[in-house]
Amino acid sequence: MKLPLPSRGALRFLLAAGVVSLLSPAWSQSADDKEKDEEARRRLQEMIENSRLPTGPRSLDPLVADAARLFGTGTDDFQKTFRPLRFEWTSSTKTQARFAETMIQGNQMTLFAGKLEPAEALVDFTDGKLSQITLLIFTRGDARKEIGPDDFAKMVADSKAGVSQALGDPGKDRGASTTGAVRGADGWVWSRPDVAALLEWSSQRVKDETGASTRRAFQAEFLRLRLVPPVKPGVGTKPSPGATVKRTDLAAHVKKDEASGDVWVADVPMVDQGQKGYCVVATCERLFRFYGMQVDQHELAQVAESSSGGGTDPDKMVDALRKLQMRLKLRMRELIGWDYRAFERELEVYNRGAKRKGVKIFDTKNYLFSQGVYAQMDKEVLREAKCRGAGFDKFKAWIKENTSAGVPLLWALEVGVYPEQGMENPQQGGGHMRLIIGFNEKKGQVIFTDSWGAGHEMKRMKIDDAFAVTAGLYLVEPNTN
């Protein structure tokens, strides 16, 4: 879901109103409410601090020219140096800093002496030290308009020239990739004793359902620059060969809190999908990175034919995962899939309960499923209708079995129907995908995480409410034990 950015005047109003309400003492709150308000205060304070920073274009050239010197920098030193360029941490653990479009000033990021305007920059930290820099120079999901082949070729040429000048090395052609999520992506590599860089780009010919080229035959997908310290040959400059962890290794990430009853998978990387409707591919990126793969949402968006506004058709993502599972050393299983006949049966059960309660019933013969259907239903009747059969018991069993073994589950659902605990969702309704990472049997809760950055790492809701709005549940795990 793509959200409009407020004007500067609107932001001043939000800040003024927010300071009064969010920064004032809470008089009667639960522990969950206090945690939610604390995170909201932290985010608001970050917005206020960013609003006071210098305005104007933000040059990200130092991330390229000074990359070798920056490797190994701690989070505190990085924050002191780059705070004027207005970035946000994508999680409270500060494992990634994200430079992106701001609510106050729009984009205004530049690269290579102003020749390019990157969509996003990501700086990763391992054990508190800077370990990788990624610049998304162009992504279809973030683009404000389509670009043609000539403009895309110029963007690639300007990027090559800019990196070559910054690193003092002309680099060399890597050729088209034969591994990774996107086969055929072109690459140019630079290798110095203190830094390795990979410029990778991809485009495709768009065809209709018959296989014929459409009027808009050319489609630029992404142009990405990645810089890493050259620990060993090929690190960071070759596409990910697939999952690098074994399924049995994942149990080490499981945490248990005996007092509260929480059981969850820790250490799942955070990805902030931004304003675009990339929840499906962003969620998959997080899972793949958890399995040790360097695959991002923009590669997956190309494979799954995602669009910025319309998002990703879950069926296309499932098809893409089935095709990629051998190449990426994964095993994929659809635990709960979409079935219209099953939905009709659910409607019939719901209608019987709705009739008894005297609330709206649905025409099961002429009703077409659409996003937001569960929001139109009576919540109590919906919960009773969905959770009365064996499907609910299987849902709970799958969650417990897999997350107890360190395997998160891809979860497709409709949001905005039942209450959730944690940071408020930017998306208030409609279809969404997130990761289920745990459960609490004592409280009857499912624990999940959303791909919207800091504050969305660990959230929860009642497990029967969760099942009532479930549209799909998918197991994707390493194929080696």
Side-chain angles (χ1 to χ4, degrees):
M1 176 181 179
K2 196 158 188 173
L3 303 174
L5 295 173
S7 64
R8 175 174 281 225
L11 180 63
R12 286 199 189 101
F13 172 81
L14 289 171
L15 292 176
V19 169
V20 172
S21 61
L22 288 175
L23 298 184
S24 58
W27 33 119
S28 178
Q29 293 181 307
S30 67
D32 288 329
D33 287 338
K34 287 180 180 179
E35 182 180 349
K36 182 176 180 179
D37 280 1
E38 181 60 34
E39 181 59 31
R41 279 193 288 271
R42 187 195 68 77
R43 296 280 284 179
L44 179 61
Q45 188 61 44
E46 190 172 63
M47 289 170 61
I48 294 171
E49 291 174 0
N50 281 344
S51 72
R52 294 169 177 164
L53 293 171
T55 60
R58 297 175 283 165
S59 173
L60 300 185
D61 286 346
L63 292 178
V64 181
D66 299 334
R69 181 179 58 81
L70 291 172
F71 294 136
T73 300
T75 54
D76 290 343
D77 288 339
F78 181 84
Q79 182 155 325
K80 290 176 185 177
T81 302
F82 287 94
R83 171 52 73 188
L85 296 184
R86 300 185 298 281
F87 70 88
E88 292 185 350
W89 296 106
T90 61
S91 70
S92 57
T93 55
K94 295 186 177 181
T95 55
Q96 187 182 78
R98 179 175 182 257
F99 299 80
E101 185 176 81
T102 67
M103 294 179 68
I104 302 173
Q105 297 158 314
N107 193 331
Q108 293 191 310
M109 294 185 295
T110 66
L111 194 60
F112 307 136
K115 288 185 178 180
L116 297 170
E117 295 184 2
E120 185 179 33
L122 303 170
V123 181
D124 292 303
F125 293 79
T126 302
D127 297 328
K129 302 296 183 181
L130 197 154
S131 56
Q132 179 172 284
I133 298 169
T134 305
L135 292 111
L136 286 308
I137 300 169
F138 173 86
T139 67
R140 177 166 54 84
D142 294 296
R144 299 188 181 280
K145 62 180 182 180
E146 296 173 3
I147 65 171
D150 293 341
D151 289 337
F152 191 57
K154 184 178 186 306
M155 197 177 291
V156 171
D158 287 343
S159 299
K160 286 182 185 178
V163 179
S164 296
Q165 182 175 356
L167 300 185
D169 181 343
K172 62 181 181 180
D173 186 4
R174 184 207 62 183
S177 64
T178 57
T179 60
V182 177
R183 282 183 172 172
D186 293 300
W188 199 267
V189 295
W190 294 261
S191 183
R192 291 189 344 193
D194 54 355
V195 62
L198 166 64
L199 183 71
E200 199 167 26
W201 62 97
S202 179
S203 61
Q204 63 176 331
R205 294 287 174 182
V206 181
K207 297 181 179 181
D208 62 21
E209 295 179 354
T210 67
S213 295
T214 63
R215 290 180 60 187
R216 184 174 55 85
F218 176 83
Q219 182 169 279
E221 292 291 342
F222 63 85
L223 172 59
R224 176 184 62 216
L225 174 64
R226 181 175 290 138
L227 301 107
V228 296
V231 179
K232 56 184 178 180
V235 170
T237 61
K238 293 182 179 180
S240 174
T244 59
V245 301
K246 297 179 180 179
R247 193 186 195 282
T248 50
D249 296 335
L250 299 175
H253 296 280
V254 177
K255 306 295 182 182
K256 297 181 181 180
D257 186 330
E258 299 295 341
S260 69
D262 284 351
V263 178
W264 76 99
V265 183
D267 310 317
V268 177
M270 175 53 76
V271 169
D272 190 337
Q273 70 185 73
Q275 302 168 57
K276 53 192 174 294
Y278 270 25
C279 61
V280 174
V281 290
T283 301
C284 288
E285 177 189 342
R286 297 181 66 190
L287 187 61
F288 290 176
R289 285 176 54 191
F290 182 57
Y291 295 156
M293 302 160 57
Q294 282 202 338
V295 176
D296 71 23
Q297 58 185 309
H298 306 289
E299 295 175 69
L300 296 171
Q302 177 176 344
V303 175
E305 302 177 24
S306 305
S307 68
S308 176
T312 307
D313 182 338
D315 287 339
K316 289 186 177 179
M317 189 71 243
V318 170
D319 289 342
L321 289 174
R322 286 193 175 115
K323 294 175 183 176
L324 290 173
Q325 59 182 335
M326 292 302 294
R327 189 192 314 172
L328 298 183
K329 300 178 183 177
L330 298 170
R331 180 167 47 237
M332 183 266 178
R333 182 183 170 199
E334 186 177 64
L335 302 177
I336 299 176
W338 173 248
D339 184 319
Y340 189 76
R341 290 185 178 178
F343 174 68
E344 283 184 321
R345 291 193 293 271
E346 287 178 7
L347 274 184
E348 291 173 355
V349 176
Y350 172 85
N351 281 342
R352 289 196 291 269
K355 190 173 182 179
R356 288 193 297 270
K357 191 176 180 181
V359 296
K360 175 184 175 182
I361 64 173
F362 291 82
D363 184 349
T364 57
K365 301 303 180 185
N366 298 301
Y367 187 84
L368 293 177
F369 179 83
S370 63
Q371 288 192 11
V373 61
Y374 293 137
Q376 302 173 44
M377 295 181 175
D378 181 272
K379 294 179 176 59
E380 183 180 343
V381 176
L382 172 62
R383 187 189 299 114
E384 291 176 355
K386 286 288 290 284
C387 298
R388 62 184 296 175
F392 181 41
D393 292 331
K394 290 181 179 179
F395 181 70
K396 292 186 290 185
W398 282 323
I399 292 173
K400 182 176 181 179
E401 175 189 351
N402 288 287
T403 58
S404 295
V407 181
L409 296 172
L410 296 169
W411 179 30
L413 73 154
E414 182 178 323
V415 296
V417 180
Y418 293 106
E420 301 175 358
Q421 296 178 24
M423 176 71 81
E424 184 176 355
N425 297 334
Q427 180 181 337
Q428 299 301 311
H432 181 53
M433 180 169 277
R434 52 180 43 145
L435 280 175
I436 291 179
I437 58 171
F439 61 94
N440 186 312
E441 287 186 309
K442 289 182 181 179
K443 299 178 181 178
Q445 294 175 331
V446 61
I447 301 173
F448 61 88
T449 176
D450 282 312
S451 303
W452 284 312
H456 298 276
E457 297 95 334
M458 190 169 174
K459 303 159 74 172
R460 62 188 71 222
M461 68 187 296
K462 291 182 177 179
I463 198 162
D464 50 355
D465 290 349
F467 183 66
V469 292
T470 292
L473 189 68
Y474 311 95
L475 170 64
V476 180
E477 59 185 344
N479 65 7
T480 55
N481 292 322

